[in-house]
Amino acid sequence: MRRIAPALLLLCLPLGGCQHWQSVLNARGPAASTLAHMFWIFVSVLATVWVLTMIALLLALRRRRPEDADPLATNPTTERRMTITISVAIGLTLLTVISLTGLSYAAQKVLFAHKDGALTLLVTGQQWWWKITYEDSQPNRVFTTANEIHIPVGEPVLIKLESSDVIHSFWVPSLTGKMDAITGRQNQIQIQADRPGIYRGQCAEYCGLQHAHMGLIVVAESREDFERWREQQISSAIPPGDEERQRGMEIFMSKPCIMCHQIRGTDAGGKIAPDLTHVGSRRYIAAGTLETTRGNIAAWIVDPHGVKPGVNMPTIQLEPDEVQPLASYLEGLK
Amino acid sequence: MTAGSPDPQVPSGLLPHRIVLNARQMPSYSYGPRSPIWWGTLGFCAVEGMGFVLAVGAYFYLVFVNGTWPLSAPAPDLFWSSLHTVLMLGSLYPNYLAKRNGEREDLRKVRRDLVIMSLIGVALLGLRTMELGTTHVKWDHNAYGSIVWLLLGLHTAHLLTDVVDTIVLAVLMFTRHGHGKRFSDVGDNAFYWYFVVASWLPIYVIIYWFPRWW
Amino acid sequence: MTRALTSHEFDAVPEVTRLATGERGGLPGVQSEADAPPSPDELRDDQVDGPELSARLAKTWGTEKGLIGALSTVDHKIIGRRYIITAIIFLFLGGLSAVAMRLQLAQPESKLISPDLYNQLFTMHGTTMMFLFGVPIGEAFAVYLVPLMVGARNIAFPRLNAFSYYVYLFGGIMIWVAFMLNIGPDTGWFSYVPLAGPEFSPGKRVDFWAQMITFTEVAGIAVAISVIVTVFKMRAPGMTLDRIPLFVWAELVNSFVIVFALPAVVTASAMLILDRLVGTHFFNPAEGGDALLYQHLFWFFGHPEVYIIFLPATGWVSAIVVTFARRQAFGYIALVLSLIATGFLSFGLWVHHMFTTGLPQLGASFFTASSMLIAIPNGIQIFCWIATLWDGRPVFRTPLLFVIGFFFIFVAGGLSGIMLASVPLDTQVHDTFFVVAHFHYVLIGGNVFPLLGAIYYWFPKFAGRMMSERLGKWHFWLAFIGFNVTFFPMHITGLMGMPRRVYTYLPEMGWGSLNLISTIGAVLFFASFVLFLYNIISSARRGPVAEPNPWNAGTLEWAAASPPLPQNFDRVPVVTNREPLWANRDSLPVVAGLSVENREQIVSTITHGRADLRESSPEPSIWPFLTAVATTITFVGSIFTPWAVVWGSIPLALALIGWFWPKTSTEDER
């Protein structure tokens, strides 16, 4: 543990450009900041303990006894001194442990204190994506999206966590610690961002074949931007703007896509896969795996199992000339 | 290094011996905690007892998670299970006799006691079969049925094991092997039977009475 | 060498009353066969001496040649050696699966290994290391060394011990064959439900995993009970509680932890397999079950498991520190009490694996306190070992080097564990590579480094030859550097957000360089094991022949030949000191009067170690092997049909009756 701080510096030098958008040490919310501070306190204390113990060990490795000494012989003075030293060391260890427990408990009190916020989300973990429902007292303002959460900066947001299949764990390290989404139960977690930005999260509980590709992003933005985004998400899908997209829509509606996906305002009403009403507005597809570009959408539709082997999305039979219009249509669903 | 070779080959460097004690007059076996096998039996009782404790813990965990109990089934019937329990309690006396007569190395009485214990064991297995028919729930109905059948299954496995053990020991005592250390084995078998009875009583209360009180 | 003494002369020995109980076997007033005088025709070890005694005893206690003889053996040294070798083979298999995973993770979005294979690999890695290496290796050493260290001629229940080995072997083979046939488990070594339940893991993969648990736990429990009874009842006369070697104490406490922890995982895996095979609903929330019930049961075992892996290692460390510090252990009582405290506390920590499941906060913080508290007994042990070295004259041979490596690595791992014990910090690092780094520091530091030291230390006893010291030092440095290069960066990878059990990651995550460093380290670390293997094989063939006590150590196993003869000791030693060979440098005090023609050994009292009985130890028998075969057929069959339990119980019962039925020639079993 002791080597973390210098080693971190050393190791991050060659990684100058790396993003740290999913890092415990890149805290961007009050909870994550508390945790990061606590982490460094623990590291300093524990590193000190380690260094002292190792110094004691190295000093102990010097040869003191004469070669022919009886291994059973003991010197009462030495015995007494060692007993006292060890008692003191144990006392100090106990003190350290008690202090750290106290610190931990205090931090726990702060972190898990319930703060009232305006926004409540229901996040459902599924193999292998996140279904996100923004709750509202008015039923017509409730909407569902996938893998991308928008929150207003500086406001606590309550997230209810559920699972529709196996256990998942919701974790956006730059904002706060993780919480499991457990089958048959509901857990709660609060997140809050201190400054605008995009924070990445990832499922942290092994959930099967594509556990590695179950990401999400949290977009923290100003209240105004957030409201604009919310109004757009509540609205139905925009109709296709050009002929190619119109054709794409027809292809979509004629294929099994509609069995699983919903596009509000169209005939596609499937509920078991991500809601695609505004898929074009989301930054990533396939749960944080591919950036939303027309090319990536096409690649994903043509061969989902090449991108995410074992994913629940089936490979749909498409004619070569159907791919582009379909991708174009979906990309246009802003 | 393993096969006993007839030619003497004593490695050098071994310390010479200085005899300070002679074991010639020591007994060749004994009873109860003086005997290693008694501790082995106790060890297995501890392992299996831990299994029972965990299964009972799981039972109450499920009660706590569900709130209502039993789940969509009436509490199991009391008749056969209570009869079973009474006979189990009744078996304690002949079991005590078997152990005592074993310690007295009285072959005739030990044979009689083991036959009685075997018959009681078979009767208990019969009662258990009747009992299983009156639980009003199957293991695949819901979690309540699962845990009830797990507890009953666990205990039945122990019952069956000890009954077979008792019968084998009874047969053994009627052969020419029925002497010496076998008397100590009778005591250990009786000891295990106490465990089978003792583990049943809480399970009986939990399965049959607890749902009526909850 | 001794002369034959007459029985009258023994009355003159003053220690007799303290060394023996002198009680009758039968109850008062009963004319018991137990007290019948021994047959005058039977040769006893106060009548012969020297090479003749050795040879005759070796014949009495020996193992027959041939396949049947090999499968019938009840010699704890032969079984123990097989146990150790098997566990180390599994260590290598687990290590190979780790190297495969590291190669896949060396760069982002690598296509080297498919996600399906990767998930099987990490499941097999964890399962193998925990159940097929971690638990068995400690027990394997106990099987070999505990009887020798307490001055016994065999383990308490040698047939049970043999049975245990075969069950363990068959269970391990079963799971690896399943893996080779691409039906290896893929739900992690913990197999959480509902992922491992019938709905999300159809097929037989998880069933093999669950039955592997049953195999290894049956084996583990059987050995634990044999070890406990060996330590309780088979100690050499005079070995009072405070003269028991620290290694034996560690194995004793370990066995108790096994006895109380393993039933939990058997319960969990039994419920899992019942849910999968006969449609029970223990973990199905829709029918009143609960997914977290599994986690509670699993971790009630799973945390003590860590100590089951660590406790035997404390025994290795104690033995090596004392021998190479050339000083008796400082704080013997404190060390023993720490072991016992660790054993108890290990049962109060399981919830710290579940801090992110949304349990009530107050309850969770109780487990923070108990988890941090375990630093105290561990701290006491570390400090006592350092004090022993401080006041000693350290001899820097390979075993001590590995123990020093243990200090560096294990203490770091223990301290990062304090971070995991804190509920809030755990929410950030739980299930990330930080945890992977932490527990490899604890488990490799706390078990594998002491194990490597222990193998260098006891190899002369096992094989009768010394291992190469030069290769040993190379091995140590390669292992120490390789280990740290592999696992230290993982702390940072985890803090940078990399979760565990991912088969790949995106390039833009920025984890590539650290993962590459870890992979390079893993290759170095694996290379150190190849060197180790070479050292073992070449030393076993050509190493210098070892004296009985090559390290000038103090405990009783070094009073036996290297390797020991089948009877371990020609006469059972009498113990007057914690380090008997340091206290008796010229001659070994012994008990005489045991049969040379039959397998007699001394049964003593628990606290004072007074000789009480001269009981017979079981003869070799093929039945434990056949029982293990019947058990295997039943368990494997039950994966395919629940009725296998019913029809499989018949051959099983027959085999058990064969096992316990007395032989015509002898009157003793078990």
Side-chain angles (χ1 to χ4, degrees):
Chain A
M1 292 323 312
R2 75 287 118 95
R3 289 169 295 191
I4 273 200
L8 247 188
L9 286 175
L10 273 175
L11 285 163
C12 276
L13 281 177
L15 315 172
C18 69
Q19 287 200 23
H20 294 302
W21 58 343
Q22 186 173 311
S23 171
V24 172
L25 302 175
N26 183 36
R28 289 292 183 268
S33 301
T34 309
L35 288 169
H37 286 143
M38 205 177 137
F39 172 79
W40 288 115
I41 296 173
F42 268 66
V43 167
S44 346
V45 173
L46 299 173
T48 312
V49 173
W50 189 87
V51 168
L52 291 177
T53 313
M54 291 310 118
I55 290 174
L57 172 69
L58 292 175
L59 292 177
L61 290 174
R62 286 184 300 164
R63 292 171 187 191
R64 288 188 183 73
R65 290 194 169 209
E67 182 124 32
D68 53 351
D70 178 6
L72 292 174
T74 52
N75 178 340
T77 321
T78 320
E79 294 281 300
R80 200 177 60 242
R81 281 192 192 145
M82 291 200 300
T83 310
I84 293 170
T85 314
I86 288 182
S87 308
V88 171
I90 286 298
L92 288 173
T93 311
L94 191 63
L95 201 65
T96 313
V97 161
I98 291 174
S99 321
L100 292 178
T101 308
L103 177 66
S104 164
Y105 189 62
Q108 195 181 343
K109 280 279 184 201
V110 175
L111 283 174
F112 294 97
H114 184 78
K115 290 176 227 121
D116 282 328
L119 213 53
T120 304
L121 276 65
L122 174 65
V123 172
T124 311
Q126 314 213 3
Q127 284 178 325
W128 292 274
W129 60 285
W130 303 91
K131 180 178 175 179
I132 291 148
T133 305
Y134 278 74
E135 298 192 338
D136 202 294
S137 50
Q138 293 166 264
N140 61 343
R141 291 183 59 79
V142 174
F143 65 91
T144 299
T145 178
N147 306 324
E148 184 169 315
I149 294 173
H150 284 238
I151 57 170
V153 166
E155 294 180 33
V157 175
L158 180 69
I159 294 182
K160 297 179 187 167
L161 285 167
E162 289 182 359
S163 163
S164 69
D165 39 48
V166 304
I167 299 175
H168 304 275
S169 193
F170 179 88
W171 185 40
V172 186
S174 294
L175 299 182
T176 188
K178 60 184 73 61
M179 181 62 79
D180 293 353
I182 298 172
T183 322
R185 289 176 174 245
Q186 190 185 71
N187 278 330
Q188 296 194 340
I189 188 173
Q190 268 187 324
I191 58 170
Q192 182 177 337
D194 283 336
R195 52 184 117 161
I198 297 176
Y199 309 114
R200 196 176 188 276
Q202 192 168 352
C203 176
E205 177 66 62
Y206 175 61
C207 58
L209 210 54
Q210 280 299 331
H211 167 58
H213 288 131
M214 188 170 161
L216 81 161
I217 55 170
V218 176
V219 180
E221 55 202 359
S222 67
R223 187 79 207 181
E224 300 78 57
D225 288 346
F226 171 73
E227 288 301 341
R228 205 173 304 127
W229 175 82
R230 174 149 75 170
E231 293 309 321
Q232 177 219 10
Q233 295 290 317
I234 290 170
S235 65
S236 294
I238 45 170
D242 57 35
E243 214 167 282
E244 188 186 40
R245 286 180 174 162
Q246 179 63 36
R247 174 139 187 274
M249 178 174 169
E250 283 158 17
I251 296 164
F252 189 91
M253 296 306 155
S254 66
K255 298 284 178 186
C257 311
I258 54 169
M259 310 292 285
C260 303
H261 290 287
Q262 182 174 38
I263 300 178
R264 281 174 271 136
T266 72
D267 294 340
K271 298 265 186 179
I272 58 168
D275 183 304
L276 299 180
T277 312
H278 299 287
V279 65
S281 75
R282 302 205 282 258
R283 285 166 175 76
Y284 289 88
I285 58 167
T289 309
L290 296 173
E291 273 187 75
T292 312
T293 62
R294 191 180 296 196
N296 279 342
I297 293 177
W300 172 245
I301 295 172
V302 170
D303 185 17
H305 290 264
V307 181
K308 267 171 95 162
V311 69
N312 288 323
M313 176 154 151
T315 310
I316 305 286
Q317 285 303 315
L318 289 172
E319 300 301 321
D321 63 339
E322 289 178 329
V323 176
Q324 274 308 317
L326 192 52
S328 171
Y329 167 63
L330 291 170
E331 190 213 4
L333 292 172
K334 296 286 183 188
Chain B
M1 84 183 240
T2 55
S5 58
D7 54 305
Q9 31 168 246
V10 177
S12 59
L14 287 178
L15 287 173
H17 289 173
R18 172 164 45 97
I19 296 174
V20 295
L21 183 67
N22 196 302
R24 262 180 192 261
Q25 304 305 322
M26 288 181 191
S28 57
Y29 63 90
S30 189
Y31 293 90
R34 286 177 71 187
S35 169
I37 193 88
W38 186 90
W39 288 94
T41 313
L42 185 68
F44 278 101
C45 290
V47 168
E48 289 150 21
M50 193 65 200
F52 282 123
V53 166
L54 289 161
V56 167
Y59 182 96
F60 285 111
Y61 181 92
L62 290 171
V63 172
F64 174 74
V65 165
N66 283 287
T68 58
W69 201 261
L71 296 174
S72 60
D77 289 353
L78 289 174
F79 180 74
W80 291 109
S81 55
S82 303
L83 206 59
H84 183 267
T85 310
V86 168
L87 183 57
M88 271 219 151
L89 289 172
S91 73
L92 290 177
Y93 183 66
N95 190 48
Y96 160 76
L97 286 183
K99 182 170 181 293
R100 195 193 62 184
N101 291 326
E103 284 164 0
R104 289 178 180 171
E105 307 200 359
D106 183 336
L107 183 60
R108 203 177 50 82
K109 283 187 180 162
V110 163
R111 284 175 174 171
R112 181 201 66 191
D113 295 336
L114 285 177
V115 169
I116 292 173
M117 285 307 294
S118 303
L119 292 174
I120 291 178
V122 171
L124 282 169
L125 284 172
L127 288 173
R128 174 56 54 82
T129 315
M130 303 306 291
E131 187 187 333
L132 292 177
T134 59
T135 51
H136 300 307
V137 69
K138 284 275 179 290
W139 57 87
D140 55 358
H141 282 185
N142 54 36
Y144 160 72
S146 307
I147 191 73
V148 164
W149 278 82
L150 180 74
L151 281 169
L152 285 170
L154 262 182
H155 191 265
T156 308
H158 284 78
L159 185 61
L160 187 64
T161 311
D162 202 25
V163 170
V164 172
D165 202 27
T166 308
I167 293 172
V168 172
L169 194 59
V171 172
L172 194 61
M173 294 313 279
F174 281 95
T175 67
R176 65 200 158 79
H177 299 295
H179 65 93
K181 203 178 168 189
R182 299 290 79 72
F183 288 115
S184 181
D185 296 346
V186 172
D188 293 320
N189 185 57
F191 173 58
Y192 192 75
W193 183 254
Y194 283 133
F195 169 71
V196 173
V197 175
S199 57
W200 170 247
L201 297 177
I203 295 175
Y204 168 69
V205 173
I206 288 165
I207 292 181
Y208 292 94
W209 290 96
F210 173 77
R212 292 179 157 78
W213 300 330
W214 180 252
Chain C
M1 285 296 173
T2 52
R3 64 196 173 88
L5 301 185
T6 63
S7 57
H8 295 291
E9 288 177 85
F10 292 107
D11 299 336
V13 178
E15 280 199 309
V16 164
T17 48
R18 282 194 284 119
L19 291 173
T21 59
E23 286 176 33
R24 299 178 66 247
L27 265 68
V30 179
Q31 187 62 43
S32 172
E33 274 183 52
D35 299 307
S39 158
D41 304 333
E42 197 176 352
L43 188 68
R44 303 211 152 250
D45 64 8
D46 47 12
Q47 294 163 319
V48 279
D49 203 0
E52 190 194 349
L53 177 61
S54 290
R56 281 177 179 269
L57 280 168
K59 193 170 166 58
T60 304
W61 288 83
T63 295
E64 301 262 338
K65 288 202 167 75
L67 184 64
I68 301 290
L71 295 177
S72 304
T73 187
V74 290
D75 186 330
H76 74 100
K77 298 178 293 299
I78 298 178
I79 300 290
R81 199 174 50 189
R82 288 179 191 165
Y83 236 122
I84 293 171
I85 292 171
T86 311
I88 288 176
I89 290 173
F90 282 123
L91 171 70
F92 273 85
L93 286 175
L96 278 171
S97 53
V99 170
M101 286 190 286
R102 276 314 327 162
L103 292 176
Q104 160 70 10
L105 290 180
Q107 45 179 328
E109 296 209 310
S110 169
K111 302 270 187 217
L112 190 66
I113 290 174
S114 74
D116 181 58
L117 179 59
Y118 188 89
N119 293 346
Q120 288 184 66
L121 279 172
F122 78 68
T123 304
M124 290 304 292
H125 173 71
T127 300
T128 303
M129 290 306 198
M130 292 307 236
F131 295 108
L132 301 177
F133 164 71
V135 178
I137 192 68
E139 295 197 311
F141 269 76
V143 166
Y144 196 106
L145 288 172
V146 164
L148 280 163
M149 279 198 178
V150 301
R153 280 182 170 164
N154 207 345
I155 200 163
F157 306 123
R159 291 187 182 177
L160 185 66
N161 186 42
F163 167 75
S164 149
Y165 170 72
Y166 297 119
V167 168
Y168 156 64
L169 177 69
F170 296 155
I173 290 176
M174 177 195 73
I175 196 82
W176 272 91
V177 167
F179 173 71
M180 304 295 178
L181 299 176
N182 196 28
I183 36 176
D186 57 353
T187 52
W189 83 280
F190 47 95
S191 276
Y192 271 6
V193 290
L195 183 62
E199 191 182 348
F200 298 101
S201 289
K204 294 292 173 201
R205 289 179 162 192
V206 178
D207 301 311
F208 280 108
W209 180 86
Q211 282 307 50
M212 181 280 311
I213 296 288
T214 321
F215 274 102
T216 53
E217 309 315 90
V218 164
I221 288 169
V223 173
I225 290 175
S226 303
V227 169
I228 290 174
V229 179
T230 307
V231 179
F232 274 9
K233 298 299 290 177
M234 317 302 264
R235 298 202 309 276
M239 189 180 276
T240 51
L241 286 183
D242 62 350
R243 287 179 190 158
I244 296 178
L246 285 164
F247 170 82
V248 175
W249 267 114
E251 292 285 3
L252 178 67
V253 174
N254 189 46
S255 300
F256 271 100
V257 177
I258 287 173
V259 160
F260 290 104
L262 294 205
V265 73
V266 177
T267 309
S269 71
M271 286 177 168
L272 175 62
I273 208 162
L274 289 171
D275 268 12
R276 294 176 55 85
L277 295 179
V278 299
T280 55
H281 297 289
F282 292 109
F283 308 128
N284 177 7
E287 292 291 350
D290 185 55
L292 285 189
L293 171 59
Y294 180 86
Q295 296 192 16
H296 281 293
L297 284 170
F298 187 82
W299 291 116
F300 186 81
F301 145 81
H303 201 82
E305 160 85 356
V306 174
Y307 292 92
I308 291 170
I309 291 172
F310 174 59
L311 283 169
T314 67
W316 301 328
V317 172
S318 290
I320 292 170
V321 163
V322 168
T323 298
F324 292 93
R326 295 273 177 265
R327 186 205 189 277
Q328 62 167 317
F330 175 79
Y332 173 89
I333 302 282
L335 282 165
V336 171
L337 292 178
S338 299
L339 286 171
I340 296 171
T342 307
F344 273 103
L345 280 173
S346 70
F347 286 94
L349 312 178
W350 83 93
V351 170
H352 78 213
H353 297 267
M354 298 169 65
F355 280 162
T356 63
T357 56
L359 292 173
Q361 292 298 326
L362 190 66
S365 36
F366 166 79
F367 286 92
T368 298
S370 64
S371 306
M372 289 202 183
L373 208 58
I374 205 152
I376 300 301
N378 284 321
I380 292 175
Q381 294 193 68
I382 300 278
F383 295 147
C384 285
W385 288 322
I386 292 179
T388 307
L389 288 165
W390 178 283
D391 191 37
R393 182 188 162 74
V395 183
F396 293 95
R397 306 295 292 271
T398 309
L400 187 62
L401 283 185
F402 276 100
V403 166
I404 295 169
F406 148 82
F407 279 109
F408 273 78
I409 297 169
F410 176 76
V411 174
L415 292 172
S416 64
I418 289 195
M419 305 172 97
L420 300 181
S422 155
V423 177
L425 277 184
D426 185 65
T427 63
Q428 281 287 35
V429 291
H430 178 71
D431 269 341
T432 68
F433 264 78
F434 186 90
V435 173
V436 178
H438 155 73
F439 70 73
H440 282 95
Y441 267 73
V442 171
L443 295 178
I444 296 184
N447 177 285
V448 177
F449 272 77
L451 168 70
L452 296 171
I455 291 173
Y456 280 90
Y457 180 55
W458 278 296
F459 189 82
K461 187 56 58 186
F462 299 155
R465 288 178 187 274
M466 306 295 288
M467 281 178 79
S468 159
E469 195 66 21
R470 194 174 52 85
L471 286 179
K473 291 201 163 104
W474 274 98
H475 172 205
F476 167 74
W477 285 108
L478 199 54
F480 187 76
I481 294 168
F483 171 83
N484 282 295
V485 173
T486 311
F487 292 101
F488 189 77
M490 287 187 190
H491 290 109
I492 303 158
T493 329
L495 293 170
M496 286 169 66
M498 183 163 170
R500 293 169 78 175
R501 304 177 181 123
V502 290
Y503 75 95
T504 192
Y505 50 93
L506 303 178
E508 57 262 39
M509 300 313 298
W511 304 327
S513 320
L514 288 169
N515 273 298
L516 185 60
I517 294 171
S518 286
T519 302
I520 293 168
V523 172
L524 282 180
F525 195 40
F526 193 79
S528 79
F529 277 88
V530 175
L531 189 62
F532 172 59
L533 194 64
Y534 173 76
N535 196 354
I536 286 188
I537 293 170
S538 63
S539 303
R541 287 185 180 169
R542 295 185 299 271
V545 173
E547 290 287 294
N549 191 0
W551 309 112
N552 191 13
T555 39
L556 276 180
E557 76 273 28
W558 303 106
S562 296
L565 295 173
Q567 69 271 30
N568 290 354
F569 307 96
D570 288 351
R571 292 193 186 89
V572 172
V574 165
V575 173
T576 54
N577 190 289
R578 215 170 274 157
E579 305 287 345
L581 302 192
W582 284 347
N584 299 286
R585 289 185 175 273
D586 307 323
S587 65
L588 191 66
V590 293
V591 190
L594 292 180
S595 171
V596 177
E597 293 165 5
N598 281 303
R599 298 185 168 217
E600 270 186 2
Q601 60 176 356
I602 299 274
V603 172
S604 49
T605 60
I606 291 189
T607 47
H608 294 96
R610 288 195 182 123
D612 189 25
L613 312 171
R614 71 184 154 77
E615 256 195 2
S616 296
S617 180
E619 299 283 327
S621 161
I622 192 70
W623 288 106
F625 174 76
L626 295 178
T627 309
V629 171
T631 310
T632 305
I633 292 169
T634 309
F635 286 173
V636 175
S638 72
I639 292 175
F640 299 95
T641 163
W643 290 102
V645 178
V646 179
W647 51 253
S649 65
I650 295 162
L652 188 56
L654 292 176
L656 280 169
I657 291 168
W659 175 340
F660 289 106
W661 198 267
K663 266 208 217 166
T664 326
S665 56
T666 60
E667 271 300 325
D668 302 283
E669 60 250 42
R670 253 239 188 147

